[in-house]
Structures are given as structure tokens and as C-alpha cells.
Amino acid sequence: MATITNKDVVGFFTGIGYSPQAAAAIAGHLSQESKLSTTALGDKGTAFGLGQWRGDRLASLKDYAKSKGQDYKDAKTQLGFVDHEMKTGKDAGAKRAHDGLKTAKTIEEATAAFMHYERPLGYTVAAPQKGHAYSSRLANAKSAMAVAPVAAPKGGGLLAVADVTKNAPESSVGSLAVEYAMGPNRPN
């Protein structure tokens, strides 16, 4: 079982251009879903990994990993898949989460935005905070915010890719973020 840390998640996402509050919100949710274990099983064995993907989304994770020549159980692969899924818009909730993270100015706004990615029991588009364990997700996100490596850009949202190279994070997974952000297979 591979377990990563909040610093790894925050470093990865800030390293590819997400604001600290967006990265911390993602870490808070993944911590709630899997305790940051890349091999966590949930929902009676039907959900897997950091994001507890299941069904078509789990198949998409595996396809994504295969297309990159990577192991779907790998932390960098799973974190990269979260970014890929949000940016490609193939999953409407993931796209909605990305759009919300781009404009989030506070950790509360970012945590509510990422509820659209996870969509736990009780979640609705109109009231994402009603989803299962929202308060725990927010508390996890606030804890993750303490390890954010760079300041938020003015107005929240995403950092420019130019900031990625000069602010390369030092965590083990985060240091791979620059490679991921600049790599030839990087989705737009």
C-alpha cells in the first residue's frame, strides 16, 4: 500500500499551476476518500485509489495510466489523472470542479468546488456542501493548506505555468509536477 502526504498532493497540484487553496481542497477530499492511500478499496471493494474511482471512472484511470506507460496504482499517475479528468471535461462533475477551483478565492470555496469531482452521498450541484463528510473534507483541506509551498495568485484560481518552474515544490511527488506540467503527453 502506497500512502502519500498532504505535502505531496499540495506540491503536485501547485507545481502544475493550481492555487494553494485549490491544491489543499483536493488534498482534503482525497484524504477523506482514501486516507491518501493509492491502493485504498472502498464501497465494498468497488472503489479504488486516492479518488475512490469506480465503474467507468476507474476504467478511465486504468486507460489513462496505460496511455502514459504508467501503473494505475502510482501516486503521480493518480494525481495526474485527477488533473486530466478535470481538464478534459469528459466527466461533467470533474469539469465543474475544475471551473470552480479556477475561481475559488478561499479554502471554503475550493473545498465546495471539489465536491463536484467526488460527488459523495447527499451531494447536489446546487448544494455541494450537503455531501457526505463535507465538514471533515474542509478540516482536512485547512490542514493541507498549512503545507502550501507558494502564495496564491491575486484573485485566487490557477497559477501561471511560468510560476511552476521557479517555484518547483520539494516533496517527492510534488517535484514530479514540473515534469508532468512540461511533459510531451500533457493534456491541454
Side-chain angles (χ1 to χ4, degrees):
M1 169 170 57
T3 302
I4 59 176
T5 67
N6 281 335
K7 185 175 180 180
D8 294 326
V9 177
V10 171
F12 182 88
F13 284 100
T14 57
I16 61 170
Y18 287 79
S19 70
Q21 62 270 23
I26 295 169
H29 278 271
L30 297 181
S31 181
Q32 178 64 35
E33 291 293 326
S34 64
K35 299 197 183 334
L36 299 179
S37 169
T38 62
T39 57
L41 292 174
D43 294 338
K44 298 180 183 175
T46 64
F48 177 82
L50 293 172
Q52 289 295 281
W53 300 282
R54 51 191 286 182
D56 290 344
R57 290 177 82 190
L58 178 56
S60 292
L61 166 64
K62 291 177 179 181
D63 290 344
Y64 170 82
K66 185 176 180 181
S67 76
K68 302 286 183 190
Q70 299 168 346
D71 184 347
Y72 73 96
K73 297 174 186 172
D74 177 72
K76 177 184 153 199
T77 302
Q78 290 186 22
L79 295 174
F81 179 70
V82 171
D83 177 60
H84 169 78
E85 197 174 32
M86 287 194 296
K87 288 182 177 172
T88 62
K90 290 179 183 174
D91 179 88
K95 175 75 169 97
R96 189 176 296 113
H98 186 258
D99 292 345
L101 290 175
K102 286 193 298 188
T103 60
K105 292 180 176 72
T106 66
I107 193 67
E108 292 81 7
E109 290 174 358
T111 302
F114 203 71
M115 290 294 278
H116 299 296
Y117 185 88
E118 291 294 346
R119 301 183 295 277
L121 182 68
Y123 156 89
T124 65
V125 172
Q129 299 91 333
K130 297 215 184 245
H132 174 72
Y134 175 77
S135 60
S136 294
R137 294 166 195 271
L138 179 59
N140 293 341
K142 287 178 177 180
S143 292
M145 192 69 187
V147 298
V150 295
K154 290 183 181 179
L158 304 177
L159 298 169
V161 173
D163 292 336
V164 171
T165 55
K166 69 181 180 188
N167 294 317
E170 295 187 21
S171 71
S172 59
V173 175
S175 64
L176 298 173
V178 172
E179 174 189 330
Y180 173 80
M182 302 302 186
N185 297 320
R186 174 81 173 108
N188 293 325

